[in-house]
C-alpha cells in the first residue's frame, strides 16, 4: 500500500466515522427530547391523579 492509498482509506474511514458520530448525536438529542416529553406527561398525570384523589376524599 502506498501513501496515496493509505491517505484515501484514512479519509474515507474518518468521514464515515464522523458521519456515524453525527447520526448518534442527532439520535441522542431526539431521545433527550422524548424523555423530557414523557417526564412532563408523567408529571401532569400525577398531578391529575393527586387532584382526583383529593377531591374524592372531600366528598
Amino acid at each position: 500500500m502506498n501513501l496515496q492509498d493509505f491517505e484515501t482509506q484514512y479519509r474515507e474511514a474518518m468521514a464515515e466515522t464522523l458521519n456515524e458520530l453525527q447520526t448518534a448525536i442527532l439520535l441522542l438529542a431526539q431521545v433527550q427530547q422524548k424523555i423530557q416529553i414523557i417526564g412532563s406527561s408523567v408529571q401532569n398525570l400525577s398531578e391529575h391523579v393527586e387532584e382526583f384523589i383529593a377531591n374524592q376524599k372531600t366528598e
Side-chain angles (χ1 to χ4, degrees), residues 25-56:
I25 290 170
L26 292 172
L27 289 171
L28 177 59
Q30 291 175 345
V31 168
Q32 288 173 326
Q33 182 181 22
K34 184 60 94 174
I35 289 171
Q36 186 176 20
I37 291 168
I38 292 168
S40 294
S41 295
V42 169
Q43 184 176 3
N44 289 337
L45 179 59
S46 176
E47 289 171 3
H48 287 292
V49 169
E50 292 294 329
E51 183 180 327
F52 175 78
I53 291 170
N55 288 339
Q56 292 298 310

Side-chain angles (χ1 to χ4, degrees), residues 1-11:
M1 173 184 300
N2 62 32
L3 181 59
Q4 187 175 9
D5 291 340
F6 177 79
E7 181 181 14
T8 300
Q9 286 184 358
Y10 162 77
R11 290 184 188 276

